[in-house]
Amino acid sequence: MSPGIAHAMEKIPVLGSIIRVVTFERYEFEDDRHYAHVEIPKVESESEPADEGMSQMNDKQQDMDPAISDSTNKINREITDYTASILNDFKSSLDEDTVKSLNIDYEVVTDTDTWFTLRLNILEIQGSGYQQSKYYHIDKITGRQVTLADLFEEDTEYITIISENIKGQMRKQMEADEGKVYFLEGNDMSGGYFDTIEADQDFYFNENGEIVIEFDEYEVAPGYMGIVSFTIPKSVTEALLKR
């Protein structure tokens, strides 16, 4: 199984005026018991204007370039390390008596004048499936990579407040639909129960500017529920966010 560098294979053209994503590496493998299709993205920052009519960038954009470059380099390292770990596990299973498949691809979720979000999608199947996503964010105003914790004032109890809102949503969903099950305290779940989100829990902003918290398959619910997400109302987060 050999990587193919695919710099010329731009999956997505220019994204906004600063950031773009290309398929950096592609892996394909198939035999009688194993299958892999992997597309590894690379996030790039535009150092020159794409339009010849723009003779030079303004001072603000020039100031942002180093920060954005640092952010894209950090994201690329994280993606490389993460996907390498998954690929190494897959390669180690090739000689074993297993049937296994792996699919990794990506999607730009948000690209505005102020915000950029890339999602990495991972699906592993070995008997049953395991689906997960990883999100990477750049604040285009500052040029910095952002995690969930970076959105909130330092002294706020955003973890507890958001977690309680999510648990309330879980209970309402279970009351309304007996087919929905979440790992909550009081349920007969041998594998433990959901208490709080992580400080760096995966998230994204929806079209209304609301924070959406996402959990991987099996993280807070049985596997048949797949990846689950919860939209946090602005009324819950507004007073907690940095100004």
Side-chain angles (χ1 to χ4, degrees):
M1 187 165 86
S2 61
I5 305 298
H7 294 283
M9 294 173 51
E10 294 191 5
K11 187 172 184 180
I12 300 173
V14 175
L15 301 174
S17 59
I18 298 174
I19 301 173
R20 66 175 185 167
V21 179
V22 300
T23 300
F24 177 64
E25 291 184 322
R26 173 171 288 186
Y27 294 82
E28 298 280 355
F29 182 88
E30 185 172 7
D31 63 16
D32 291 340
R33 305 183 69 82
H34 306 89
Y35 169 79
H37 173 79
V38 176
E39 293 181 355
I40 301 176
K42 181 180 180 181
V43 185
E44 298 180 341
S45 59
E46 291 287 304
S47 59
E48 297 293 338
D51 187 347
E52 292 183 359
M54 298 172 62
S55 59
Q56 59 183 3
M57 294 181 293
N58 58 43
D59 292 340
K60 182 178 180 181
Q61 185 166 330
Q62 288 176 338
D63 292 340
M64 286 194 304
D65 272 353
I68 289 182
S69 180
D70 288 345
S71 296
T72 57
N73 288 337
K74 182 181 178 184
I75 288 172
N76 290 332
R77 288 194 298 270
E78 291 176 4
I79 291 174
T80 297
D81 292 345
Y82 183 66
T83 54
S85 175
I86 296 174
L87 281 167
N88 287 337
D89 288 343
F90 177 81
K91 291 177 184 179
S92 68
S93 72
L94 295 179
D95 294 331
E96 298 176 2
D97 187 22
T98 60
V99 177
K100 187 172 184 178
S101 67
L102 170 66
N103 190 86
I104 301 177
D105 61 18
Y106 63 92
E107 179 182 356
V108 174
V109 177
T110 305
D111 178 45
T112 69
D113 292 340
T114 59
W115 194 264
F116 171 83
T117 296
L118 174 70
R119 179 174 65 214
L120 193 66
N121 305 306
I122 304 99
L123 175 61
E124 299 179 81
I125 299 177
Q126 183 176 341
S128 60
Y130 176 53
Q131 188 176 9
Q132 58 180 318
S133 297
K134 291 287 184 182
Y135 287 84
Y136 303 91
H137 312 276
I138 295 177
D139 181 345
K140 289 187 178 183
I141 301 299
T142 64
R144 300 187 183 282
Q145 185 181 1
V146 178
T147 65
L148 183 66
D150 296 324
L151 300 178
F152 301 98
E153 297 289 353
E154 291 185 6
D155 296 333
T156 60
E157 297 182 357
Y158 76 93
I159 293 177
T160 299
I161 293 171
I162 290 177
S163 298
E164 289 303 312
N165 182 268
I166 289 173
K167 285 189 277 191
Q169 292 188 48
M170 289 177 172
R171 294 187 182 97
K172 287 182 180 179
Q173 289 184 25
M174 289 191 295
E175 290 174 1
D177 184 353
E178 62 181 14
K180 291 189 174 183
V181 177
Y182 293 104
F183 301 152
L184 288 175
E185 188 174 14
N187 286 0
D188 185 15
M189 299 292 173
S190 58
Y193 59 88
F194 169 66
D195 185 20
T196 63
I197 61 171
E198 300 294 332
D200 59 351
Q201 189 76 40
D202 273 318
F203 79 97
Y204 62 92
F205 287 106
N206 65 15
E207 63 275 9
N208 297 319
E210 298 165 308
I211 295 173
V212 180
I213 301 293
E214 188 168 282
F215 297 93
D216 292 335
E217 189 173 2
Y218 297 103
E219 191 173 359
V220 297
Y224 73 85
M225 294 276 288
I227 289 178
V228 295
S229 59
F230 299 88
T231 300
I232 311 302
K234 288 184 179 180
S235 59
V236 173
T237 61
E238 191 170 14
L240 309 174
L241 294 170
K242 289 181 178 178
R243 302 300 178 184

